[in-house]
Amino acid sequence: MPGQTWSLCTLLWLSLWGVSYCRSSREAQTTKGPPLIRNKRAPIDPDAKKCSYTFLVPEHKITGPICASSTGPEPDKDRVTRIDIADVREVISKQRREIETLQLVVDVDGNLVNEMKLLRKESRNMNSRVTQLYMQLLHEIIRKRDNSLELAQLENRVLNVTSEMMRLASRYKELEARFSTMAGVVNNQSVLISALEDQCLRRLGHGELPVAPPLVQVVPQKLPVNHRFTNEIQRDHNNRAFPRGPRMDSPTASPFGTDPPAPQGTLTPDGPYRDCFQVRQAGHTTSGMYLLRTTGSDRLIQAWCEHGLDNGGWTVLQRRRDGSVNFFRNWENYKRGFGNIDGEHWLGLENIYNLGRQGDYKLMVELEDWTGKKVYAEYSSFHLEAESEGYRLRLGSYQGNAGDSFSSHNGKQFTTLDRDKDAFSGNCAHFHKGGWWYNACGQTNLNGVWYSGGVYRSKFQDGIFWAEYGGGFYSLKTTRLMIRPID
């Protein structure tokens, strides 16, 4: 098919070339050659037909377009030659190389774009991190500024406290000087009082002064070691400040004065109970104040129940711990009780008598020295006789690690400064500054004067002592008397 097309195009080109050649030959004969003389010449008709040629071509079945041109053959420049093909191939190769170069450039640019994207992402992350660091720095600056302000305030407070300490130190020196003066006056007054007592006794007809009770034997091998020992009585006994909280009761100024009412503490809604052992059986395991009512009595008793010692159930009869209550009282005070139930107190001889007659009870005496060591003395039985018998003490056998200093008081009546029931010629309550089951006067005095520091100095042994633990001139820090039914 392409061969037939090429043959047709060749024939058309030859026909066109013949027409153009005929025209050119005629024009050349008319212009250059000599004129031909003819006798008869027809006029030139512009509309006359030009010379033409007829070609016979083989008969082919035409299946495609027929190339025809009315303008003549194409110029030579449109001919496709091998040179042109080589040039085209060279151009194509060049373009291919350029395309490959462009592909490389595109790949490089793509990598650069990816790197730019990564750099942009890292830049955003760095910007957020820089912002975070900036906020942290700003917060730190603000905190340091606040710290500097607090430091300045603390420095001002330290300066104020320092000035206050200096002022107090100077005041303390003044008070020391005044105390030294007052101590001298007191010593002089003591000598004067002794002389006046001697004169009074002589004027009353007594030829001899009352004999002082014998001193309790000191037990040095059991004396608690404490570097804070003092030989001075607790100063300002009735007006001192206590580190455990505000005072809830003031000691009675006069031994014969009336006792202030006991404070109303927090009581459980249950009860009243027979004793603290029944409180324990009722399911109460917290130490505190509970309401009691003894068998055969309509009187209610506020008592402290100790449930943290030896399975609990202990009814506290007496407690000493800070010297906040004066135990130098008369008979009536010791009979009905005094002090603070949640602090220093005496439950009352009548209440102790009513508790003891409900059944068989044992006694626990708990002692603590000024080094923090605690010891105990337990007696297998305990009860008191009625007031008509002077609340006589009845004790059982001893066991414990404090030493037995109470058995020598067994069977003795209770003595106060206004009711002398002891076996001494004088009044032991007067010498020992408390009420107790004195003998003459005895090996223990747990209701005496509360001295600070342990070893104390006094004309008589009037501190809180237990002879078998520290001796008569060592005042204990805390004491407790507790009873519980015998197991």
Side-chain angles (χ1 to χ4, degrees):
M1 188 67 189
Q4 294 177 358
T5 304
W6 177 257
S7 300
L8 290 175
C9 292
T10 305
L11 291 175
L12 288 175
W13 182 77
L14 290 175
S15 65
L16 292 176
W17 181 79
V19 173
S20 61
Y21 179 77
C22 181
R23 286 181 182 177
S24 60
S25 61
R26 288 179 179 176
E27 288 176 359
Q29 291 178 0
T30 56
T31 55
K32 295 181 180 181
L36 296 176
I37 300 173
R38 294 181 179 180
N39 293 326
K40 293 180 182 181
R41 182 176 182 177
I44 300 169
D45 188 359
D47 297 327
K49 293 183 180 180
K50 298 179 180 179
C51 61
S52 61
Y53 297 90
T54 302
F55 296 91
L56 296 176
V57 294
E59 184 178 358
H60 294 283
K61 187 177 180 180
I62 301 172
T63 58
I66 300 174
C67 296
S69 177
S70 61
T71 59
E74 294 292 331
D76 294 338
K77 65 179 181 179
D78 294 331
R79 293 182 64 185
V80 178
T81 62
R82 292 180 178 178
I83 298 173
D84 294 335
I85 292 173
D87 293 339
V88 170
R89 287 179 177 175
E90 185 179 357
V91 170
I92 290 173
S93 299
K94 185 177 180 180
Q95 290 178 353
R96 185 178 291 111
R97 289 192 299 271
E98 291 178 356
I99 289 172
E100 292 176 356
T101 305
L102 290 175
Q103 185 67 34
L104 294 175
V105 172
V106 168
D107 293 339
V108 173
D109 291 343
N111 294 332
L112 291 176
V113 169
N114 292 332
E115 291 180 1
M116 287 296 295
K117 289 181 179 179
L118 294 175
L119 289 174
R120 186 175 298 173
K121 185 177 180 180
E122 291 179 359
S123 177
R124 287 196 296 267
N125 294 335
M126 289 298 294
N127 289 336
S128 62
R129 180 59 179 168
V130 168
T131 303
Q132 184 180 1
L133 291 175
Y134 176 75
M135 296 301 296
Q136 290 180 358
L137 180 61
L138 184 62
H139 178 72
E140 188 69 18
I141 291 173
I142 295 174
R143 189 180 65 82
K144 287 185 178 297
R145 186 184 64 182
D146 295 340
N147 289 340
S148 62
L149 294 176
E150 292 179 0
L151 181 61
Q153 293 177 356
L154 289 175
E155 288 178 351
N156 292 332
R157 291 175 62 183
V158 168
L159 292 175
N160 294 335
V161 171
T162 303
S163 61
E164 184 68 16
M165 288 177 61
M166 295 177 65
R167 188 183 68 81
L168 291 176
S170 61
R171 179 63 177 167
Y172 178 74
K173 290 181 179 179
E174 294 177 0
L175 291 176
E176 278 189 336
R178 293 179 59 185
F179 177 78
S180 299
T181 304
M182 294 177 64
V185 173
V186 169
N187 291 332
N188 295 333
Q189 289 179 349
S190 299
V191 175
L192 181 60
I193 289 172
S194 299
L196 291 175
E197 286 180 349
D198 189 8
Q199 292 180 7
C200 290
L201 291 175
R202 294 181 188 281
R203 288 181 181 179
L204 291 175
H206 297 282
E208 296 181 358
L209 295 176
V211 180
L215 297 179
V216 175
Q217 180 183 2
V218 178
V219 187
Q221 64 271 18
K222 291 187 178 181
L223 187 66
V225 177
N226 186 358
H227 298 291
R228 297 177 58 250
F229 284 170
T230 177
N231 288 331
E232 297 180 359
I233 192 171
Q234 176 66 38
R235 301 172 183 174
D236 301 330
H237 176 71
N238 296 336
N239 298 310
R240 58 189 292 270
F242 302 99
R244 304 189 181 202
R247 291 172 54 186
M248 302 179 65
D249 182 24
S250 298
T252 305
S254 171
F256 296 96
T258 58
D259 185 57
Q264 298 297 322
T266 303
L267 297 174
T268 60
D270 302 334
Y273 300 96
R274 192 164 61 98
D275 54 18
C276 289
F277 186 74
Q278 192 179 41
V279 172
R280 178 73 176 189
Q281 290 178 331
H284 298 284
T285 59
T286 303
S287 300
M289 288 185 290
Y290 292 86
L291 201 60
L292 308 181
R293 178 185 291 156
T294 58
T295 303
S297 174
D298 295 333
R299 182 180 178 184
L300 295 177
I301 305 172
Q302 290 184 15
W304 185 272
C305 295
E306 178 58 49
H307 297 306
L309 177 68
D310 190 20
N311 296 324
W314 295 96
T315 304
V316 178
L317 308 180
Q318 180 256 31
R319 176 160 54 185
R320 305 295 302 275
R321 69 179 185 184
D322 53 20
S324 58
V325 175
N326 185 6
F327 275 67
F328 194 26
R329 305 284 183 121
N330 58 11
W331 179 268
E332 187 62 27
N333 289 161
Y334 271 98
K335 176 182 176 180
R336 59 190 179 91
F338 55 86
N340 304 313
I341 299 299
D342 58 346
E344 290 199 341
H345 70 277
W346 174 261
L347 190 60
L349 291 169
E350 188 66 22
N351 295 329
I352 297 173
Y353 164 71
N354 290 328
L355 284 169
R357 68 176 183 166
Q358 296 183 123
D360 296 330
Y361 286 83
K362 61 182 177 180
L363 174 69
M364 170 76 73
V365 181
E366 183 186 68
L367 310 173
E368 181 185 4
D369 60 33
W370 286 89
T371 64
K373 180 182 178 181
K374 289 185 178 181
V375 294
Y376 75 97
E378 184 175 328
Y379 294 87
S380 59
S381 64
F382 168 84
H383 71 274
L384 300 182
E385 296 184 2
E387 184 180 9
S388 59
E389 294 293 327
Y391 297 111
R392 193 182 303 275
L393 175 66
R394 297 300 181 183
L395 286 176
S397 59
Y398 159 83
Q399 67 173 1
N401 60 357
D404 185 12
S405 295
F406 208 12
S407 293
S408 61
H409 296 255
N410 189 21
K412 305 303 176 184
Q413 296 181 343
F414 201 85
T415 296
T416 60
L417 56 88
D418 60 334
R419 190 170 297 189
D420 187 2
K421 300 288 184 177
D422 56 52
F424 184 63
S425 58
N427 189 337
C428 291
H430 171 74
F431 292 102
H432 289 297
K433 303 297 187 299
W436 197 247
W437 295 277
Y438 293 113
N439 188 348
C441 284
Q443 298 294 306
T444 180
N445 183 38
L446 299 187
N447 287 339
V449 179
W450 190 85
Y451 288 95
S452 175
V455 176
Y456 65 97
R457 181 179 62 192
S458 176
K459 185 177 181 180
F460 306 107
Q461 292 173 329
D462 54 6
I464 304 173
F465 66 84
W466 188 269
E468 294 294 326
Y469 188 75
F473 283 106
Y474 184 88
S475 185
L476 297 166
K477 183 179 180 181
T478 65
T479 66
R480 284 195 301 180
L481 299 180
M482 301 173 288
I483 61 172
R484 187 177 70 179
I486 298 175
D487 300 334

